[in-house]
């Protein structure tokens, strides 16, 4: 999931994800990293087929790097999202990739774009995706507020991902977070024993 | 009435059913179909339990499982009891469809009650109580018969306890699956446990395992299953059958480890060879 916070150029985003990659009922990787950088201050949250999302992210990383050179500045998050959209939309019958593209750029500040299965591209204040997201729509709708501070956002993301991991069999492991703003990227790790919510 | 159908008619009905199932989409799937005579058959499990592990040790037999029942991919019931004492000397553990498991344990408890009430004496337990091996054999018959009627009890059952051989009580551990396959062994496991836990149990098994060692071994196996089975939980239950009787522990959580260095630092960065 990804959440924006703050105003204007001081705004930023928090991206977060669980760490479980499953093949049917088997956990192929219990500590995977689903938060992928496609540029210095632009990340994507990958869900769906791991092979498809890794391939798409690699392509976007390649094109964005070239684009940044010709632009001679940081590319906009909107551009990255547009590249994701192009790839997912034109290959929609061959792929299963659902991506949230989020980051910070000097023009728009922090922004979040959702590129779901069919290849639409929708900008949102916050976005959730993946199989576990169905369990936290209610929690999100009830607790998200516009204008949260960075610390509040981080707690919010940790809490909601915990709740999703508690109920979804295809989600689990540890929580990986990244806070992206004008100063750069800060990564966090919440181990499987330190989850804010484990209902037992 | 269903029983008035001839074998051919039943075969035709069944083939028609199979053909109609092949052409329906996933959204139209139902867990049971009602046939002409008003009977039903289980098609696919809805609420499921995952692995059950069993091991013989020095003092008797030990079973272990987690307390989760899943609803498809959802972890719905986190306090489901899958290890049940069905009579004073026998434990049954079950994975698979939870409603069928409840049906099986209710049936076995009913049998135990009937045995107790029709015994020669209300005070003498030894002769009237079904020993574990008898329960295992009975379950094999039940499961195989249901399978023959194409209406299985969708479970893998583990039976643990003692049976009387001559004058001595000998520990017993056996497994019965949903099609009536039955076998006994020193270590058994159902579901994912048969792939992930059984090799560990077989490697570490000795006939004179202490209770503490056996329990630690079970916890290790259930921890691996929690790491690697999407439908497992880290809240577990242990049950043991000794010559003194049967005991099922209260559920408790097992600890897990997530802080190895290679777990914490992410690999797929911008630098590097592009590998993940």
């Amino acid at each position: 999931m990804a959440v924006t916070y703050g105003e204007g150029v001081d705004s930023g985003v928090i991206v977060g994800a669980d760490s479980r990659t499953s093949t049917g009922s088997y956990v192929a990787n219990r500590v995977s990293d689903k938060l992928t950088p496609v540029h210095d201050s632009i990340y994507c949250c990958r869900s769906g087929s791991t092979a498809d999302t890794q391939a798409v992210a690699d392509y976007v990383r390649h094109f964005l790097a070239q684009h940044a050179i010709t632009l001679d500045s940081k590319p906009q998050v909107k551009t990255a999202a547009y590249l994701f959209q192009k790839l997912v939309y034109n290959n929609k019958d061959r792929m299963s990739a659902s991506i949230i593209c989020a980051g910070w750029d000097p023009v728009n500040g922090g922004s979040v774009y959702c590129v779901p299965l069919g290849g639409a591209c929708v900008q949102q204040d916050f976005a959730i995706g993946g199989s576990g997201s169905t369990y936290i729509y209610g929690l999100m709708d009830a607790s998200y507020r516009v204008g949260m501070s960075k610390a509040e956002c981080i707690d919010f993301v940790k809490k909601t991902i915990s709740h999703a991991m508690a109920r979804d069999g295809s989600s689990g492991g540890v929580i990986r977070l990244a806070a992206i703003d004008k100063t750069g990227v800060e990564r966090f790790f919440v181990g499987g024993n330190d989850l804010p919510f484990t209902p037992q | 009435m269903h029983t008035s159908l001839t074998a051919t008619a039943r075969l035709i009905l069944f083939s028609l059913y199979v053909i109609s199932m092949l052409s329906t989409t996933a959204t139209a799937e139902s867990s049971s179909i009602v046939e002409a005579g008003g009977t039903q058959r289980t098609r696919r499990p809805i609420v499921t339990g995952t692995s059950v592990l069993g091991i013989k040790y020095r003092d008797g037999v030990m079973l272990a499982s987690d307390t989760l029942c899943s609803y498809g991919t959802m972890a719905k019931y986190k306090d489901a009891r899958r290890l049940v004492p069905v009579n004073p000397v026998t434990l049954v553990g079950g994975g698979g469809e939870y409603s069928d498991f409840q049906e099986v344990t209710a049936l076995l408890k009913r049998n135990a009650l009937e045995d107790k009430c029709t015994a020669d004496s209300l005070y003498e337990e030894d002769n009237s109580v079904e020993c574990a091996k008898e329960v295992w054999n009975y379950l094999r018959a039940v499961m195989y018969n249901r399978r023959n009627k194409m209406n299985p009890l969708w479970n893998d059952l583990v039976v643990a306890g003692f049976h009387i051989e001559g004058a001595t009580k000998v520990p017993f551990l056996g497994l019965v699956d949903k099609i009536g396959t039955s076998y006994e062994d020193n270590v058994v496991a159902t579901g994912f446990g048969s792939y992930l836990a059984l090799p560990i149990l077989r490697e570490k098994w000795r006939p004179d395992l202490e209770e503490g060692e056996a329990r630690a071994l079970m916890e290790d196996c259930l921890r691996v299953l929690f790491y690697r089975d999407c439908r497992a939980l880290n809240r577990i239950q242990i049950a043991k059958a000794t010559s003194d009787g049967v005991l099922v522990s209260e559920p408790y959580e097992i600890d897990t480890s997530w802080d190895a260095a290679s777990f914490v630092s992410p690999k797929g960065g911008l630098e590097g060879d592009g590998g993940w």
Side-chain angles (χ1 to χ4, degrees), chain A residues 20 22 25-28 30-31 33 36-37 40 54 58 61 135 166-169 173-174 176 189 192-193 199-200, chain B residues 73-76 78 192 196 226-231 233-235 253 256-258 263-264 266-270 276:
Chain A
R20 179 173 285 187
S22 49
S25 290
Y26 179 66
V27 179
R30 65 180 171 109
V31 284
D33 185 10
T36 308
D40 296 336
Q54 285 182 350
D58 276 343
R61 189 184 296 179
Y135 300 97
R167 285 294 182 180
D168 181 29
V174 305
R176 297 199 191 274
F189 174 85
N193 296 320
Q200 301 287 13
Chain B
T73 60
M74 180 187 178
K76 193 158 191 207
K78 299 202 172 192
F192 253 79
L196 298 176
F226 174 64
Y227 288 150
R228 293 297 178 178
D229 180 5
C230 287
R231 316 278 175 254
L233 194 65
N234 59 344
R235 188 165 185 268
E253 261 184 62
T256 51
S257 156
W258 301 92
F263 292 174
V264 180
K267 295 271 173 71
L270 284 176
W276 291 84

Side-chain angles (χ1 to χ4, degrees), chain B residues 159-175:
Chain B
V159 183
F162 279 80
H163 88 275
I164 320 287
E165 214 170 75
T168 49
K169 275 179 150 188
V170 173
F172 175 85
L173 179 61
L175 192 147

Side-chain angles (χ1 to χ4, degrees), chain A:
Chain A
M1 62 181 289
V3 191
T4 51
Y5 66 88
E7 290 284 321
V9 185
D10 289 327
S11 60
V13 296
I14 309 289
V15 291
D18 73 314
S19 70
R20 179 173 285 187
T21 308
S22 49
T23 324
S25 290
Y26 179 66
V27 179
N29 187 353
R30 65 180 171 109
V31 284
S32 35
D33 185 10
K34 303 183 187 178
L35 305 176
T36 308
V38 288
H39 198 74
D40 296 336
S41 294
I42 307 178
Y43 266 65
C44 67
C45 308
R46 302 181 288 109
S47 64
S49 154
T50 302
D52 289 342
T53 53
Q54 285 182 350
V56 166
D58 276 343
Y59 273 110
V60 171
R61 189 184 296 179
H62 169 76
F63 292 131
L64 258 190
Q66 288 181 333
H67 173 66
I69 291 170
T70 57
L71 207 59
D72 198 25
S73 80
K74 284 191 177 208
Q76 292 186 43
V77 182
K78 189 191 297 191
T79 315
Y82 176 74
L83 287 169
F84 275 114
Q85 175 182 28
K86 265 272 183 251
L87 288 166
V88 174
Y89 178 75
N90 286 326
N91 296 293
K92 66 161 86 180
D93 47 347
R94 283 181 283 258
M95 273 207 308
S96 166
S98 178
I99 289 173
I100 300 174
C101 184
W104 183 91
D105 63 64
V107 178
N108 304 302
S111 41
V112 172
Y113 291 82
C114 196
V115 181
L117 241 45
C121 185
V122 182
Q123 185 183 11
Q124 299 177 288
D125 284 337
F126 66 86
I128 53 177
S131 59
S133 67
T134 54
Y135 300 97
I136 51 173
Y137 275 100
L139 181 63
M140 292 288 302
D141 289 338
S143 29
Y144 177 75
R145 292 171 343 248
V146 181
M148 284 193 281
S149 70
K150 177 176 169 178
E152 284 178 319
C153 255
I154 290 177
D155 281 338
F156 174 62
V157 170
K158 277 187 203 168
K159 187 179 76 160
T160 38
I161 294 182
S162 270
H163 276 270
M165 286 161 63
R167 285 294 182 180
D168 181 29
S170 311
S171 305
V174 305
I175 301 180
R176 297 199 191 274
L177 292 156
I180 312 169
D181 61 16
K182 66 173 185 253
T183 61
V185 178
E186 193 185 350
R187 295 210 59 151
F188 302 92
F189 174 85
V190 181
N193 296 320
D194 306 320
L195 301 175
F197 178 75
T198 45
Q200 301 287 13

Side-chain angles (χ1 to χ4, degrees), chain B residues 249-267:
Chain B
S249 80
E250 280 302 299
Y252 61 97
E253 261 184 62
I254 46 174
D255 55 337
T256 51
S257 156
W258 301 92
D259 53 7
S262 61
F263 292 174
V264 180
S265 359
K267 295 271 173 71

